mmCIF file of all heavy atoms in Angstrom:
data_model
loop_
_atom_site.group_PDB
_atom_site.id
_atom_site.type_symbol
_atom_site.label_atom_id
_atom_site.label_comp_id
_atom_site.label_asym_id
_atom_site.label_seq_id
_atom_site.Cartn_x
_atom_site.Cartn_y
_atom_site.Cartn_z
ATOM 1 N N LYS A 1 98.573 -39.783 -3.003
ATOM 2 C CA LYS A 1 97.100 -39.733 -2.875
ATOM 3 C C LYS A 1 96.814 -38.572 -1.783
ATOM 4 O O LYS A 1 95.887 -37.880 -1.971
ATOM 5 C CB LYS A 1 96.523 -41.047 -2.437
ATOM 6 C CG LYS A 1 96.553 -42.046 -3.482
ATOM 7 C CD LYS A 1 96.124 -43.481 -3.031
ATOM 8 C CE LYS A 1 96.092 -44.472 -3.980
ATOM 9 N NZ LYS A 1 95.617 -45.774 -3.575
ATOM 10 N N VAL A 2 97.587 -38.564 -0.707
ATOM 11 C CA VAL A 2 97.331 -37.452 0.248
ATOM 12 C C VAL A 2 97.566 -36.159 -0.286
ATOM 13 O O VAL A 2 96.687 -35.219 -0.042
ATOM 14 C CB VAL A 2 98.351 -37.695 1.529
ATOM 15 C CG1 VAL A 2 98.275 -36.500 2.385
ATOM 16 C CG2 VAL A 2 97.958 -38.946 2.278
ATOM 17 N N ILE A 3 98.543 -35.934 -1.221
ATOM 18 C CA ILE A 3 98.771 -34.655 -1.845
ATOM 19 C C ILE A 3 97.689 -34.316 -2.745
ATOM 20 O O ILE A 3 97.211 -33.255 -2.849
ATOM 21 C CB ILE A 3 100.121 -34.707 -2.539
ATOM 22 C CG1 ILE A 3 101.239 -34.866 -1.622
ATOM 23 C CG2 ILE A 3 100.352 -33.498 -3.459
ATOM 24 C CD1 ILE A 3 102.633 -35.109 -2.190
ATOM 25 N N THR A 4 97.200 -35.371 -3.442
ATOM 26 C CA THR A 4 96.044 -35.246 -4.334
ATOM 27 C C THR A 4 94.808 -34.647 -3.609
ATOM 28 O O THR A 4 94.068 -33.703 -4.007
ATOM 29 C CB THR A 4 95.595 -36.508 -5.096
ATOM 30 O OG1 THR A 4 96.787 -36.878 -5.813
ATOM 31 C CG2 THR A 4 94.476 -36.215 -6.059
ATOM 32 N N ARG A 5 94.600 -35.259 -2.365
ATOM 33 C CA ARG A 5 93.406 -34.871 -1.570
ATOM 34 C C ARG A 5 93.662 -33.467 -0.989
ATOM 35 O O ARG A 5 92.736 -32.599 -0.919
ATOM 36 C CB ARG A 5 93.238 -35.806 -0.388
ATOM 37 C CG ARG A 5 92.721 -37.267 -0.798
ATOM 38 C CD ARG A 5 92.215 -38.053 0.368
ATOM 39 N NE ARG A 5 91.784 -39.347 -0.092
ATOM 40 C CZ ARG A 5 92.520 -40.442 -0.027
ATOM 41 N NH1 ARG A 5 93.751 -40.432 0.395
ATOM 42 N NH2 ARG A 5 92.043 -41.652 -0.411
ATOM 43 N N LEU A 6 94.867 -33.191 -0.700
ATOM 44 C CA LEU A 6 95.177 -31.787 -0.243
ATOM 45 C C LEU A 6 94.826 -30.737 -1.281
ATOM 46 O O LEU A 6 94.259 -29.659 -0.903
ATOM 47 C CB LEU A 6 96.670 -31.662 0.118
ATOM 48 C CG LEU A 6 97.111 -31.850 1.603
ATOM 49 C CD1 LEU A 6 98.628 -31.705 1.587
ATOM 50 C CD2 LEU A 6 96.520 -30.868 2.455
ATOM 51 N N HIS A 7 95.136 -31.000 -2.447
ATOM 52 C CA HIS A 7 94.791 -30.086 -3.615
ATOM 53 C C HIS A 7 93.543 -30.467 -4.331
ATOM 54 O O HIS A 7 93.387 -30.110 -5.527
ATOM 55 C CB HIS A 7 95.958 -30.238 -4.626
ATOM 56 C CG HIS A 7 97.316 -29.608 -4.100
ATOM 57 N ND1 HIS A 7 97.559 -28.267 -4.091
ATOM 58 C CD2 HIS A 7 98.339 -30.255 -3.569
ATOM 59 C CE1 HIS A 7 98.759 -28.111 -3.639
ATOM 60 N NE2 HIS A 7 99.286 -29.264 -3.226
ATOM 61 N N HIS A 8 92.567 -31.006 -3.612
ATOM 62 C CA HIS A 8 91.343 -31.524 -4.268
ATOM 63 C C HIS A 8 90.597 -30.424 -4.963
ATOM 64 O O HIS A 8 89.818 -30.624 -5.948
ATOM 65 C CB HIS A 8 90.476 -32.258 -3.221
ATOM 66 C CG HIS A 8 89.864 -31.317 -2.279
ATOM 67 N ND1 HIS A 8 90.576 -31.015 -1.035
ATOM 68 C CD2 HIS A 8 88.735 -30.677 -2.199
ATOM 69 C CE1 HIS A 8 89.789 -30.235 -0.337
ATOM 70 N NE2 HIS A 8 88.684 -29.944 -0.960
ATOM 71 N N ALA A 9 90.748 -29.208 -4.485
ATOM 72 C CA ALA A 9 90.037 -27.999 -5.140
ATOM 73 C C ALA A 9 90.583 -27.745 -6.550
ATOM 74 O O ALA A 9 89.950 -27.090 -7.406
ATOM 75 C CB ALA A 9 90.165 -26.796 -4.324
ATOM 76 N N ARG A 10 91.748 -28.383 -6.909
ATOM 77 C CA ARG A 10 92.379 -28.161 -8.189
ATOM 78 C C ARG A 10 92.528 -29.416 -8.995
ATOM 79 O O ARG A 10 93.240 -29.475 -9.946
ATOM 80 C CB ARG A 10 93.795 -27.479 -7.938
ATOM 81 C CG ARG A 10 93.759 -26.157 -7.228
ATOM 82 C CD ARG A 10 95.221 -25.728 -6.861
ATOM 83 N NE ARG A 10 96.104 -25.815 -7.940
ATOM 84 C CZ ARG A 10 97.180 -26.553 -8.085
ATOM 85 N NH1 ARG A 10 97.580 -27.275 -7.044
ATOM 86 N NH2 ARG A 10 98.032 -26.579 -9.092
ATOM 87 N N ARG A 11 91.857 -30.496 -8.480
ATOM 88 C CA ARG A 11 92.003 -31.772 -9.190
ATOM 89 C C ARG A 11 90.727 -32.222 -9.913
ATOM 90 O O ARG A 11 89.585 -31.996 -9.390
ATOM 91 C CB ARG A 11 92.365 -32.882 -8.170
ATOM 92 C CG ARG A 11 93.810 -32.612 -7.627
ATOM 93 C CD ARG A 11 94.854 -32.849 -8.597
ATOM 94 N NE ARG A 11 96.167 -32.529 -8.045
ATOM 95 C CZ ARG A 11 96.823 -31.347 -8.152
ATOM 96 N NH1 ARG A 11 96.277 -30.313 -8.812
ATOM 97 N NH2 ARG A 11 98.004 -31.163 -7.635
ATOM 98 N N GLU A 12 90.919 -32.887 -11.053
ATOM 99 C CA GLU A 12 89.785 -33.450 -11.703
ATOM 100 C C GLU A 12 89.329 -34.681 -11.080
ATOM 101 O O GLU A 12 90.025 -35.295 -10.340
ATOM 102 C CB GLU A 12 90.226 -33.773 -13.190
ATOM 103 C CG GLU A 12 90.463 -32.528 -14.063
ATOM 104 C CD GLU A 12 89.140 -31.752 -14.339
ATOM 105 O OE1 GLU A 12 88.239 -32.362 -14.874
ATOM 106 O OE2 GLU A 12 89.124 -30.524 -13.954
ATOM 107 N N THR A 13 88.058 -35.057 -11.438
ATOM 108 C CA THR A 13 87.506 -36.331 -10.925
ATOM 109 C C THR A 13 87.156 -37.237 -12.007
ATOM 110 O O THR A 13 86.996 -36.908 -13.166
ATOM 111 C CB THR A 13 86.153 -35.986 -10.125
ATOM 112 O OG1 THR A 13 85.212 -35.391 -11.010
ATOM 113 C CG2 THR A 13 86.450 -35.186 -8.928
ATOM 114 N N GLN A 14 87.125 -38.513 -11.704
ATOM 115 C CA GLN A 14 86.680 -39.596 -12.622
ATOM 116 C C GLN A 14 85.663 -40.452 -11.858
ATOM 117 O O GLN A 14 85.993 -41.251 -11.028
ATOM 118 C CB GLN A 14 87.859 -40.486 -13.042
ATOM 119 C CG GLN A 14 87.605 -41.482 -14.096
ATOM 120 C CD GLN A 14 88.753 -42.282 -14.564
ATOM 121 O OE1 GLN A 14 89.847 -41.673 -14.794
ATOM 122 N NE2 GLN A 14 88.736 -43.541 -14.689
ATOM 123 N N GLY A 15 84.455 -40.165 -12.183
ATOM 124 C CA GLY A 15 83.428 -40.782 -11.331
ATOM 125 C C GLY A 15 83.360 -40.131 -9.980
ATOM 126 O O GLY A 15 83.333 -38.927 -9.826
ATOM 127 N N ASP A 16 83.462 -40.972 -8.910
ATOM 128 C CA ASP A 16 83.566 -40.449 -7.559
ATOM 129 C C ASP A 16 84.967 -40.331 -7.055
ATOM 130 O O ASP A 16 85.303 -40.086 -5.924
ATOM 131 C CB ASP A 16 82.734 -41.374 -6.622
ATOM 132 C CG ASP A 16 81.285 -41.348 -6.903
ATOM 133 O OD1 ASP A 16 80.810 -40.303 -7.375
ATOM 134 O OD2 ASP A 16 80.695 -42.373 -6.650
ATOM 135 N N CYS A 17 86.016 -40.519 -7.899
ATOM 136 C CA CYS A 17 87.389 -40.592 -7.553
ATOM 137 C C CYS A 17 88.109 -39.316 -7.981
ATOM 138 O O CYS A 17 87.823 -38.771 -9.060
ATOM 139 C CB CYS A 17 88.120 -41.803 -8.187
ATOM 140 S SG CYS A 17 87.312 -43.391 -7.644
ATOM 141 N N LEU A 18 89.074 -38.965 -7.191
ATOM 142 C CA LEU A 18 90.075 -37.874 -7.629
ATOM 143 C C LEU A 18 91.129 -38.505 -8.471
ATOM 144 O O LEU A 18 91.481 -39.728 -8.184
ATOM 145 C CB LEU A 18 90.594 -37.193 -6.371
ATOM 146 C CG LEU A 18 89.676 -36.304 -5.483
ATOM 147 C CD1 LEU A 18 90.338 -36.114 -4.168
ATOM 148 C CD2 LEU A 18 89.412 -35.032 -6.208
ATOM 149 N N VAL A 19 91.693 -37.711 -9.339
ATOM 150 C CA VAL A 19 92.682 -38.186 -10.247
ATOM 151 C C VAL A 19 94.043 -37.569 -9.887
ATOM 152 O O VAL A 19 94.128 -36.221 -9.970
ATOM 153 C CB VAL A 19 92.355 -38.026 -11.757
ATOM 154 C CG1 VAL A 19 93.461 -38.535 -12.603
ATOM 155 C CG2 VAL A 19 91.023 -38.666 -12.063
ATOM 156 N N ALA A 20 95.044 -38.270 -9.553
ATOM 157 C CA ALA A 20 96.342 -37.768 -9.207
ATOM 158 C C ALA A 20 96.997 -37.231 -10.479
ATOM 159 O O ALA A 20 96.821 -37.795 -11.569
ATOM 160 C CB ALA A 20 97.207 -38.808 -8.564
ATOM 161 N N THR A 21 97.930 -36.185 -10.333
ATOM 162 C CA THR A 21 98.633 -35.674 -11.521
ATOM 163 C C THR A 21 100.167 -35.747 -11.278
ATOM 164 O O THR A 21 100.606 -36.229 -10.306
ATOM 165 C CB THR A 21 98.265 -34.161 -11.564
ATOM 166 O OG1 THR A 21 98.851 -33.479 -10.472
ATOM 167 C CG2 THR A 21 96.747 -33.904 -11.643
ATOM 168 N N LEU A 22 100.843 -35.434 -12.365
ATOM 169 C CA LEU A 22 102.380 -35.402 -12.299
ATOM 170 C C LEU A 22 102.820 -34.464 -11.219
ATOM 171 O O LEU A 22 103.858 -34.636 -10.633
ATOM 172 C CB LEU A 22 102.902 -34.986 -13.573
ATOM 173 C CG LEU A 22 103.012 -36.120 -14.725
ATOM 174 C CD1 LEU A 22 103.446 -35.657 -16.031
ATOM 175 C CD2 LEU A 22 103.934 -37.260 -14.184
ATOM 176 N N GLU A 23 102.043 -33.370 -10.973
ATOM 177 C CA GLU A 23 102.419 -32.386 -9.909
ATOM 178 C C GLU A 23 102.490 -33.141 -8.539
ATOM 179 O O GLU A 23 103.358 -32.960 -7.765
ATOM 180 C CB GLU A 23 101.401 -31.295 -9.810
ATOM 181 C CG GLU A 23 101.742 -30.298 -8.727
ATOM 182 C CD GLU A 23 100.602 -29.288 -8.579
ATOM 183 O OE1 GLU A 23 99.678 -29.260 -9.347
ATOM 184 O OE2 GLU A 23 100.749 -28.468 -7.763
ATOM 185 N N ASP A 24 101.494 -34.022 -8.333
ATOM 186 C CA ASP A 24 101.380 -34.730 -7.033
ATOM 187 C C ASP A 24 102.664 -35.687 -6.917
ATOM 188 O O ASP A 24 103.215 -35.755 -5.885
ATOM 189 C CB ASP A 24 100.027 -35.552 -6.968
ATOM 190 C CG ASP A 24 98.860 -34.614 -7.035
ATOM 191 O OD1 ASP A 24 98.916 -33.474 -6.536
ATOM 192 O OD2 ASP A 24 97.920 -35.048 -7.670
ATOM 193 N N TYR A 25 102.911 -36.307 -8.006
ATOM 194 C CA TYR A 25 104.092 -37.239 -7.992
ATOM 195 C C TYR A 25 105.371 -36.454 -7.689
ATOM 196 O O TYR A 25 106.212 -36.841 -6.806
ATOM 197 C CB TYR A 25 104.262 -37.958 -9.339
ATOM 198 C CG TYR A 25 105.526 -38.851 -9.399
ATOM 199 C CD1 TYR A 25 105.579 -40.076 -8.862
ATOM 200 C CD2 TYR A 25 106.691 -38.348 -9.921
ATOM 201 C CE1 TYR A 25 106.705 -40.845 -8.799
ATOM 202 C CE2 TYR A 25 107.886 -39.061 -9.965
ATOM 203 C CZ TYR A 25 107.818 -40.323 -9.416
ATOM 204 O OH TYR A 25 109.018 -41.130 -9.412
ATOM 205 N N ALA A 26 105.501 -35.232 -8.371
ATOM 206 C CA ALA A 26 106.757 -34.469 -8.152
ATOM 207 C C ALA A 26 106.912 -34.030 -6.731
ATOM 208 O O ALA A 26 107.958 -34.003 -6.115
ATOM 209 C CB ALA A 26 106.764 -33.271 -9.110
ATOM 210 N N LEU A 27 105.723 -33.537 -6.165
ATOM 211 C CA LEU A 27 105.862 -33.050 -4.778
ATOM 212 C C LEU A 27 106.178 -34.135 -3.776
ATOM 213 O O LEU A 27 107.031 -34.023 -2.848
ATOM 214 C CB LEU A 27 104.474 -32.518 -4.328
ATOM 215 C CG LEU A 27 104.013 -31.196 -5.139
ATOM 216 C CD1 LEU A 27 102.583 -30.846 -4.795
ATOM 217 C CD2 LEU A 27 104.966 -30.009 -4.747
ATOM 218 N N ALA A 28 105.572 -35.351 -3.993
ATOM 219 C CA ALA A 28 105.849 -36.531 -3.203
ATOM 220 C C ALA A 28 107.355 -36.885 -3.386
ATOM 221 O O ALA A 28 108.087 -37.236 -2.446
ATOM 222 C CB ALA A 28 105.049 -37.697 -3.526
ATOM 223 N N TYR A 29 107.849 -36.834 -4.624
ATOM 224 C CA TYR A 29 109.273 -37.247 -4.860
ATOM 225 C C TYR A 29 110.307 -36.400 -4.151
ATOM 226 O O TYR A 29 111.250 -36.962 -3.577
ATOM 227 C CB TYR A 29 109.469 -37.138 -6.419
ATOM 228 C CG TYR A 29 110.888 -37.358 -6.890
ATOM 229 C CD1 TYR A 29 111.276 -38.638 -7.174
ATOM 230 C CD2 TYR A 29 111.849 -36.412 -6.950
ATOM 231 C CE1 TYR A 29 112.610 -39.000 -7.530
ATOM 232 C CE2 TYR A 29 113.167 -36.692 -7.272
ATOM 233 C CZ TYR A 29 113.492 -37.975 -7.636
ATOM 234 O OH TYR A 29 114.833 -38.233 -7.889
ATOM 235 N N HIS A 30 110.017 -35.067 -4.181
ATOM 236 C CA HIS A 30 111.095 -34.208 -3.543
ATOM 237 C C HIS A 30 111.066 -34.361 -2.001
ATOM 238 O O HIS A 30 112.083 -33.909 -1.497
ATOM 239 C CB HIS A 30 110.829 -32.755 -4.001
ATOM 240 C CG HIS A 30 111.209 -32.446 -5.358
ATOM 241 N ND1 HIS A 30 112.523 -32.544 -5.881
ATOM 242 C CD2 HIS A 30 110.450 -32.129 -6.516
ATOM 243 C CE1 HIS A 30 112.514 -32.279 -7.119
ATOM 244 N NE2 HIS A 30 111.269 -31.979 -7.534
ATOM 245 N N LEU A 31 110.038 -34.974 -1.457
ATOM 246 C CA LEU A 31 110.019 -35.126 0.012
ATOM 247 C C LEU A 31 110.442 -36.619 0.388
ATOM 248 O O LEU A 31 111.052 -36.828 1.411
ATOM 249 C CB LEU A 31 108.661 -34.832 0.576
ATOM 250 C CG LEU A 31 108.268 -33.403 0.539
ATOM 251 C CD1 LEU A 31 106.793 -33.121 1.035
ATOM 252 C CD2 LEU A 31 109.275 -32.487 1.349
ATOM 253 N N ALA A 32 110.014 -37.533 -0.489
ATOM 254 C CA ALA A 32 110.183 -38.937 -0.022
ATOM 255 C C ALA A 32 111.174 -39.782 -0.833
ATOM 256 O O ALA A 32 111.513 -40.853 -0.455
ATOM 257 C CB ALA A 32 108.763 -39.598 -0.190
ATOM 258 N N ALA A 33 111.768 -39.306 -1.956
ATOM 259 C CA ALA A 33 112.660 -40.187 -2.748
ATOM 260 C C ALA A 33 113.880 -40.513 -1.929
ATOM 261 O O ALA A 33 114.271 -41.687 -2.001
ATOM 262 C CB ALA A 33 113.061 -39.363 -3.993
ATOM 263 N N ARG A 34 114.487 -39.525 -1.221
ATOM 264 C CA ARG A 34 115.721 -39.801 -0.526
ATOM 265 C C ARG A 34 115.380 -40.786 0.644
ATOM 266 O O ARG A 34 116.047 -41.796 0.849
ATOM 267 C CB ARG A 34 116.246 -38.566 -0.027
ATOM 268 C CG ARG A 34 117.648 -38.688 0.572
ATOM 269 C CD ARG A 34 118.228 -37.430 1.179
ATOM 270 N NE ARG A 34 117.724 -36.259 0.739
ATOM 271 C CZ ARG A 34 118.336 -35.264 0.109
ATOM 272 N NH1 ARG A 34 119.542 -35.542 -0.220
ATOM 273 N NH2 ARG A 34 117.702 -34.144 -0.166
ATOM 274 N N PRO A 35 114.317 -40.532 1.551
ATOM 275 C CA PRO A 35 114.051 -41.392 2.657
ATOM 276 C C PRO A 35 113.670 -42.852 2.147
ATOM 277 O O PRO A 35 113.990 -43.825 2.702
ATOM 278 C CB PRO A 35 112.854 -40.757 3.309
ATOM 279 C CG PRO A 35 113.046 -39.331 3.047
ATOM 280 C CD PRO A 35 113.626 -39.274 1.638
ATOM 281 N N MET A 36 113.000 -42.946 0.889
ATOM 282 C CA MET A 36 112.603 -44.254 0.466
ATOM 283 C C MET A 36 113.797 -45.037 0.034
ATOM 284 O O MET A 36 113.934 -46.185 0.244
ATOM 285 C CB MET A 36 111.582 -44.059 -0.592
ATOM 286 C CG MET A 36 110.867 -45.371 -1.018
ATOM 287 S SD MET A 36 109.461 -45.006 -1.995
ATOM 288 C CE MET A 36 109.120 -46.680 -2.683
ATOM 289 N N ALA A 37 114.765 -44.330 -0.664
ATOM 290 C CA ALA A 37 115.990 -45.053 -1.105
ATOM 291 C C ALA A 37 116.702 -45.470 0.088
ATOM 292 O O ALA A 37 117.380 -46.558 0.086
ATOM 293 C CB ALA A 37 116.781 -44.070 -1.978
ATOM 294 N N ARG A 38 116.783 -44.675 1.132
ATOM 295 C CA ARG A 38 117.542 -45.001 2.350
ATOM 296 C C ARG A 38 116.840 -46.379 2.955
ATOM 297 O O ARG A 38 117.629 -47.213 3.344
ATOM 298 C CB ARG A 38 117.521 -43.946 3.371
ATOM 299 C CG ARG A 38 118.246 -42.728 3.092
ATOM 300 C CD ARG A 38 117.848 -41.681 4.151
ATOM 301 N NE ARG A 38 118.634 -40.366 3.921
ATOM 302 C CZ ARG A 38 118.122 -39.229 4.350
ATOM 303 N NH1 ARG A 38 117.143 -39.140 5.122
ATOM 304 N NH2 ARG A 38 118.888 -38.122 4.122
ATOM 305 N N SER A 39 115.550 -46.409 3.032
ATOM 306 C CA SER A 39 114.873 -47.476 3.636
ATOM 307 C C SER A 39 115.170 -48.786 2.857
ATOM 308 O O SER A 39 115.500 -49.808 3.473
ATOM 309 C CB SER A 39 113.408 -47.271 3.624
ATOM 310 O OG SER A 39 113.006 -46.143 4.477
ATOM 311 N N VAL A 40 115.075 -48.712 1.519
ATOM 312 C CA VAL A 40 115.233 -49.895 0.677
ATOM 313 C C VAL A 40 116.718 -50.358 0.796
ATOM 314 O O VAL A 40 117.015 -51.590 0.912
ATOM 315 C CB VAL A 40 114.849 -49.605 -0.723
ATOM 316 C CG1 VAL A 40 115.224 -50.733 -1.694
ATOM 317 C CG2 VAL A 40 113.381 -49.408 -0.830
ATOM 318 N N HIS A 41 117.633 -49.414 0.857
ATOM 319 C CA HIS A 41 119.057 -49.859 0.879
ATOM 320 C C HIS A 41 119.622 -49.915 2.352
ATOM 321 O O HIS A 41 120.781 -50.222 2.514
ATOM 322 C CB HIS A 41 119.911 -48.743 0.101
ATOM 323 C CG HIS A 41 119.736 -48.803 -1.338
ATOM 324 N ND1 HIS A 41 120.320 -49.749 -2.314
ATOM 325 C CD2 HIS A 41 118.921 -48.056 -2.172
ATOM 326 C CE1 HIS A 41 119.957 -49.537 -3.414
ATOM 327 N NE2 HIS A 41 119.119 -48.543 -3.476
ATOM 328 N N THR A 42 118.784 -49.650 3.266
ATOM 329 C CA THR A 42 119.214 -49.749 4.747
ATOM 330 C C THR A 42 120.357 -48.918 4.997
ATOM 331 O O THR A 42 121.390 -49.402 5.542
ATOM 332 C CB THR A 42 119.464 -51.222 5.104
ATOM 333 O OG1 THR A 42 118.502 -52.115 4.483
ATOM 334 C CG2 THR A 42 119.221 -51.399 6.595
ATOM 335 N N ILE A 43 120.273 -47.666 4.575
ATOM 336 C CA ILE A 43 121.356 -46.729 4.891
ATOM 337 C C ILE A 43 120.882 -45.461 5.530
ATOM 338 O O ILE A 43 119.634 -45.176 5.604
ATOM 339 C CB ILE A 43 122.031 -46.293 3.576
ATOM 340 C CG1 ILE A 43 121.117 -45.575 2.630
ATOM 341 C CG2 ILE A 43 122.738 -47.539 2.920
ATOM 342 C CD1 ILE A 43 121.755 -44.866 1.501
#
């Protein structure tokens, strides 16, 4: 959601809400996938 708000000038809206895209997921994935896996597995 933070990434969606960062790119709000390029995002569609639904009512008063911004709509996240696959791009936002991919950007978050490449930064957080490894730390999140570490956290869950305690490594």
Side-chain angles (χ1 to χ4, degrees):
K1 292 176 181 180
V2 169
I3 294 171
T4 303
R5 291 190 180 101
L6 265 178
H7 292 277
H8 67 273
R10 302 170 48 240
R11 294 294 176 263
E12 288 294 303
T13 59
Q14 184 174 318
D16 294 330
C17 300
L18 291 164
V19 181
T21 66
L22 278 175
E23 177 187 2
D24 302 324
Y25 176 84
L27 294 174
Y29 176 89
H30 287 297
L31 293 175
R34 193 188 335 246
M36 193 165 165
R38 289 171 182 161
S39 295
V40 170
H41 290 279
T42 323
I43 60 166

